[in-house]
Amino acid sequence: MAEPEDPKTGAPEHRDPASDPELDAAQAALNRMREAAQSRGERRVRSAAALNSSQAKQRQSAAQRAARKNSPSGRDPQGLGGIVSRMVAERGWSAPVAVGSVMAQWDSLVGADIAAHCRPESFSGTVLHVRCDSTSWATQLRLLSSSLLARFSADLGAGVVTKIHVLGPTAPNWRKGGRTVQGRGPRDTYG
């Protein structure tokens, strides 16, 4: 059923579905959407199926087609990286994501030599806790901490890591069981 057109504007005449029993719910919804689009100032354009393809191509100049192809609209597909970056920024997740980046990219941030002997353990605020497998590597990392902080600031952003807390290797625990005795602890007086 074709809609009658308004003689003044040439736009389709919208009828009230409550007063006209011929209109169904889908047509009423379509009419509401058309009125909303018209109130926003959007023009109604006939579909390409209604026109033959040669007429449609003549209406669109090459510049218009190129502009439409290159300009992203809300309906165009977007890259996942851009969407995730925008979501992280909108929700204030920049610092937690940067912390995860330190943990995930540790080898590339500090280099293979340091990464072979030192591993990040945890974060508390902006302090990175790093465990080294020997005291000599712990000393070396303490000496390199200022250059590592500068690299973290350059790669991850300022203020993500403000201090590196270096932990040495853990000593073996000689406690066995639930009860202990006060004393000097293990010594080299075996046998």
Side-chain angles (χ1 to χ4, degrees), residues 158-169:
V160 174
V161 180
T162 57
K163 183 178 177 186
I164 299 175
H165 186 117
V166 180
L167 305 169

Side-chain angles (χ1 to χ4, degrees), residues 94-103 106 109-110 120 122-130 145-166:
S94 299
V97 169
V99 168
S101 297
V102 170
M103 299 293 197
W106 177 255
L109 287 172
V110 298
S122 64
F123 248 101
S124 57
T126 59
V127 178
L128 174 65
H129 299 276
V130 179
S145 65
S146 61
S147 62
L148 289 176
L149 287 173
R151 183 179 292 174
F152 291 156
S153 293
D155 291 349
L156 303 172
V160 174
V161 180
T162 57
K163 183 178 177 186
I164 299 175
H165 186 117
V166 180

